[in-house]
Amino acid sequence: MNIAQINLTIAQMLDYTMPILFAALCGVLSENAGVVNIGLDGIMRFGAFFGLLGAFFSHSPWIGLLFGIAIGCLVGALHAFITIRWNGDQTVSGVAINVIAVGLMTYLLEFVFSTTGYSPQIQNYFGAQAYRVHLPFLAKIPLLGAFSNLSFMIWFGFICTVLMHVLLYHTVLGLRIRTCGENPKAATTLGINVFRIRWFAVVAGAALAGIGGATLSISSFSGFSDSMPNGVGFIGLAAMIFGKWTPFGALGAALLFGTGQIVQSIIAVTGIAPKLAPGLTLILPYVLTLAVLAGFVGKSIAPAADGLPYYKEQR
Amino acid sequence: MSESNFTTKFLKLFGIDNQGHSRRDYLNIWVPLISVGLALILGMIVIAASGRNPFQAYGLLFGDSGLIPGGPAWRREFAELLIKSAMYIATGLSVALAFKGGLFNIGAEGQFWVGAIVATFFGYWSPVAHTFGAMYIALGSFGWIAQLLHGAICIIMGMLAGGAWAAVAGYLYVKRGVNIVIGTIMLNWIAWFLITSWLVIGPMTPPSQTFTSGTFYVADTAKLLRIMMPTRLNTSILLVLLAAYATWFLLYKTTIGYEIRAIGYTANIGMEAPRAQGINISRRIMQLMFLSGALAALGGTFFILGMQYQFPNTAIMGYGWTGIAIALIGQSEPMGVVLAGLFIGALRTGATSMQVANIPKTFSDIIEGMAVGFIAMQVAVRYYLVKIIQHRRARRDPPADQEAAA
């Protein structure tokens, strides 16, 4: 492989990484506030379809991104309404969102575009040359050359990671969010409105998952396919755990898992190990996550009140 | 109260005794019914909002669901309904049994696939298939014995494998503290990629075939017996009803079942009581996960031995997720799961003919998902239900002081 090929591979790997990263960041934000969001795969499906819808009718990926954010907030609000307003089971609510997403997106795909399986392809998407972020001064440098011509969404993913880190660990709001996830009772005694903080975390997190879905349909690819997001939300969940519920950890895990996704195509292109079954590389994220959770490789511990509904009067 | 009496009788029909519980318990049966009803109404709104006739659509949905006898295609539709329901009831029982022990087995999906792939293997693997093929010929008119035995071996092996797959999550939970939801989700995807990206396109594919063709087909002796010619209805529905009865018996008539329920009741408050009673909680939880996985795998074996006869190289997703919906609608009671499974099976059977009205067959997913959403909000459903009941009671027999005031 020459430099150009390596650069291409890195860029491709980043394309795979970003949807995983956005999903993982969604999980990081909402689980640090104490709300489990199994439904993020479904929210990504919503985001992927509505992102494409916006981009298709406005001929601008920016509108598509806004659509993705809006639908993410809306579905996140539903999750928050069920789990925070009515103390519903967080996993059950997530399952409901996933199942609705499967049915409703197929229904809407057929209704809006009268097609089954795939939406029409769009010209104006973030992966198109006109919308890429061009940094010509990097192009000549080995390895960094890969960053000279990337989709906007990839940079946005890095920016979101940094912003999330600052939010969680260097602001008052972040401290409050983490308190709600660790010990909501203590948060209440300090005068923090646990419900309001959790609402914010869930809705903002779901907006990120919506962005992640839109990244799939209007950045990594230029259309919506009925199999989206194809489990990316669950890889994101794994990345969140593997990254120990922190933004930079999630970034690292997403990069690792994104690489795992293209090992397959590297093998196919270079013919290094044609006998190696692709299934064996694709299970890597999940095996690693289980290993980390079980304490075989390091140890990953969830926030203490993660997944528990909060009752104000309960001791 | 009249509602209470009616519900008590209704529950007794299904062998459920709600005596000795609080009076509000009759809400348990109304919450899933109301949830499904609300989901169906919202489904109508979705259809109407997309400019189609909801009444025509629901006419097609229920008319062709196999629930209503009559019509030329009714026998076929009824058979389809039962075949589909058998698989959904199996995954539903799997999730419901785990719920009874306080565990959320979100991995019925993966256990379903593991059961399916193992059943496929024992269906075509030549040492087994040849033995039973020879036996079938040797037995002559008693050849069905060979069919029964081969089918039984495939099903038992599939169930053992699915159970073992789920028991991994149980082991990781009790010994290493891995959350059961996360553990089973991860195992789902491990199973999925091992099967679809390795087994189905590699070792289990006939060498002459392209890699899109799926695995070998199972031998004729491994296929489930058909019980209603000319439809393809097979013994799977009988087997799954047996499994439902066994689950009910295990839960309510055995010591293990009692211990499982004791763990389930106290799962959120530290399981002190069952521990004080000397129940080996870790062991019970691993056994429970094994049983739960075996039930989901049973559905997977039906899928192969009764419908597909091979593991196809296409996505066969959703059986486990639907199982979660069924367990929730059925309130984790075996009888409720059977009824909910038949209902979802009917919905899925009828949904295929909704395509005439330009409605994709995934419409039933929307209904299921919304029903699950309402069940997740059951606190709200109960709250408004109690309010409505109180309101009606207050109107029927107003309190004495109000009468005096009037």
Side-chain angles (χ1 to χ4, degrees):
Chain A
M1 287 211 280
N2 57 29
I3 295 291
Q5 261 179 320
I6 290 172
N7 285 350
L8 205 66
T9 311
I10 292 175
Q12 197 189 2
M13 187 261 282
L14 289 171
D15 255 348
Y16 275 101
T17 300
M18 284 310 140
I20 302 175
L21 175 66
F22 281 116
L25 288 179
C26 161
V28 168
L29 188 56
S30 101
E31 299 215 358
N32 267 303
V35 180
V36 170
N37 195 346
I38 297 283
L40 60 86
D41 201 65
I43 301 175
M44 286 186 81
R45 192 168 161 82
F46 272 97
F49 182 79
F50 279 89
L52 179 96
L53 197 69
F56 182 82
F57 285 112
S58 66
H59 302 289
S60 155
W62 299 101
I63 304 293
L65 183 61
L66 284 181
F67 266 58
I69 293 173
I71 195 72
C73 287
L74 214 64
V75 184
L78 175 70
H79 187 61
F81 181 72
I82 294 175
T83 60
I84 302 169
R85 170 67 182 85
W86 289 106
N87 284 323
D89 188 303
Q90 296 170 1
T91 312
V92 175
S93 170
V95 169
I97 289 171
N98 282 341
V99 176
I100 291 174
V102 169
L104 196 59
M105 291 310 110
T106 310
Y107 187 90
L108 289 175
L109 181 64
E110 197 273 344
F111 170 62
V112 178
F113 298 110
S114 304
T115 57
T116 48
Y118 295 92
S119 77
Q121 300 293 303
I122 52 171
Q123 298 305 316
N124 298 312
Y125 69 112
F126 283 117
Q129 281 303 327
Y131 291 94
R132 281 172 186 262
V133 179
H134 295 282
L135 301 169
F137 59 93
L138 284 174
K140 295 280 178 241
I141 310 167
L143 293 183
L144 285 182
F147 293 87
S148 65
N149 187 18
L150 287 177
S151 157
F152 164 76
M153 294 307 292
I154 292 174
W155 291 108
F156 191 51
F158 289 128
I159 294 167
C160 282
T161 312
V162 176
L163 287 181
M164 178 85 83
H165 178 81
V166 173
L167 169 72
L168 279 180
Y169 300 105
H170 299 284
T171 65
V172 177
L173 179 61
L175 184 65
R176 288 182 176 170
I177 288 173
R178 285 182 294 131
T179 317
C180 290
E182 289 291 344
N183 193 340
K185 194 82 209 166
T188 306
T189 52
L190 293 173
I192 298 169
N193 187 335
V194 174
F195 302 108
R196 198 177 289 170
I197 297 281
R198 284 192 170 179
W199 263 92
F200 166 78
V202 170
V203 172
L208 283 168
I211 296 171
T215 311
L216 276 174
S217 64
I218 60 175
S219 172
S220 300
F221 301 96
S222 56
F224 176 80
S225 89
D226 205 14
S227 64
M228 274 180 189
N230 215 351
V232 170
F234 290 107
I235 306 185
L237 207 64
M240 169 199 75
I241 298 164
F242 195 68
K244 305 186 177 180
W245 282 269
T246 61
F248 283 116
L251 175 63
L255 285 169
L256 180 67
F257 295 169
T259 317
Q261 298 286 304
I262 62 153
V263 167
Q264 203 186 346
S265 55
I266 294 176
I267 289 170
V269 169
T270 58
I272 295 170
K275 288 286 174 198
L276 188 68
L280 300 181
T281 58
L282 290 174
I283 64 169
L284 199 71
Y286 312 104
V287 174
L288 280 175
T289 303
L290 277 183
V292 166
L293 275 174
F296 297 130
V297 189
K299 186 74 192 164
S300 186
I301 298 164
D306 198 12
L308 303 176
Y310 176 59
Y311 303 96
K312 224 172 188 175
E313 294 80 14
Q314 198 182 51
R315 257 180 296 166
Chain B
M1 293 300 113
S2 59
E3 288 98 333
S4 172
N5 280 339
F6 168 71
T7 315
T8 308
K9 278 178 197 158
F10 186 68
L11 289 173
K12 270 202 176 144
L13 273 180
F14 303 114
I16 303 163
D17 182 19
N18 74 339
Q19 294 298 315
H21 293 266
S22 102
R23 267 236 235 72
R24 289 271 158 78
D25 264 21
Y26 63 81
L27 291 179
N28 283 345
I29 206 153
W30 292 112
V31 166
L33 291 179
I34 288 170
S35 299
V36 169
L38 287 173
L40 285 172
I41 292 168
L42 274 180
M44 277 185 139
I45 294 172
V46 169
I47 294 176
S50 56
R52 283 143 188 169
N53 184 349
F55 296 101
Q56 185 209 358
Y58 273 42
L60 286 168
L61 176 66
F62 287 106
D64 290 350
S65 66
L67 279 180
I68 303 156
W74 176 67
R75 277 171 74 88
R76 189 187 56 76
E77 285 155 7
F78 184 64
E80 288 302 306
L81 156 71
L82 292 182
I83 291 177
K84 285 200 167 76
S85 301
M87 291 183 289
Y88 292 129
I89 294 171
T91 49
L93 283 173
S94 161
V95 181
L97 183 61
F99 270 142
K100 280 286 178 191
L103 302 174
F104 201 138
N105 178 14
I106 220 168
E109 189 95 5
Q111 294 138 20
F112 183 93
W113 298 323
V114 170
I117 197 82
V118 170
T120 315
F121 177 73
F122 282 94
Y124 77 75
W125 193 40
S126 51
V128 178
H130 284 173
T131 312
F132 286 105
M135 197 172 154
Y136 182 76
I137 293 161
L139 284 169
S141 59
F142 289 101
W144 53 270
I145 296 176
Q147 282 180 295
L148 280 185
L149 286 175
H150 193 184
I153 283 189
C154 293
I155 289 174
I156 289 168
M157 285 310 192
M159 286 176 80
L160 286 177
W165 194 255
V168 173
Y171 171 82
L172 289 172
Y173 174 55
V174 295
K175 298 288 180 196
R176 318 289 309 196
V178 179
N179 181 314
I180 209 98
V181 170
I182 302 294
T184 48
I185 286 179
M186 296 302 137
L187 284 169
N188 270 354
W189 290 97
I190 293 172
W192 174 249
F193 286 118
L194 279 181
I195 291 170
T196 59
S197 302
W198 178 42
L199 290 174
V200 173
I201 60 169
M204 291 176 74
T205 319
S208 58
Q209 304 290 309
T210 56
F211 67 90
T212 53
S213 57
T215 66
F216 287 99
Y217 279 87
V218 299
D220 281 340
T221 44
K223 295 175 183 172
L224 291 174
L225 292 171
R226 296 194 175 183
I227 55 175
M228 193 170 91
M229 289 299 184
T231 64
R232 54 178 193 163
L233 180 62
N234 52 45
T235 48
S236 62
I237 186 71
L238 302 177
L239 291 171
V240 87
L241 289 177
L242 199 68
Y245 180 76
T247 310
W248 174 82
F249 190 85
L250 174 85
L251 276 173
Y252 294 106
K253 300 289 165 191
T254 66
T255 315
I256 295 183
Y258 163 75
E259 295 185 1
I260 287 171
R261 285 181 293 131
I263 294 169
Y265 282 132
T266 54
N268 288 335
I269 49 175
M271 297 182 279
E272 279 304 321
R275 192 172 290 126
Q277 217 175 22
I279 296 173
N280 188 339
I281 291 175
S282 327
R283 196 160 159 199
R284 283 284 174 264
I285 284 180
M286 279 193 275
Q287 287 168 338
L288 178 61
M289 281 310 284
F290 179 87
L291 291 173
S292 173
L295 281 169
L298 181 67
T301 64
F302 293 160
F303 180 74
I304 299 297
L305 305 175
M307 278 177 76
Q308 295 282 330
Y309 307 132
Q310 58 141 213
F311 202 102
N313 189 21
T314 48
I316 50 161
M317 293 187 153
Y319 288 94
W321 294 102
T322 303
I324 296 171
I326 288 170
L328 289 165
I329 295 171
Q331 297 282 294
S332 305
E333 295 295 340
M335 193 62 220
V337 168
V338 170
L339 292 178
L342 289 171
F343 172 71
I344 299 286
L347 217 58
R348 298 242 164 189
T349 310
T352 38
S353 66
M354 283 173 96
Q355 283 161 320
V356 178
N358 281 327
I359 293 165
K361 62 178 177 182
T362 52
F363 180 77
S364 57
D365 280 308
I366 305 178
I367 301 284
E368 267 166 46
M370 290 192 298
V372 172
F374 282 115
I375 289 174
M377 277 209 304
Q378 56 176 304
V379 177
V381 175
R382 277 160 198 269
Y383 176 76
Y384 287 112
L385 206 59
V386 169
K387 260 196 149 177
I388 290 168
I389 291 169
Q390 282 173 344
H391 184 71
R392 280 183 51 190
R393 267 187 206 151
R395 249 201 344 210
R396 202 173 50 200
D397 25 65
D401 54 333
Q402 270 188 22
E403 243 167 45

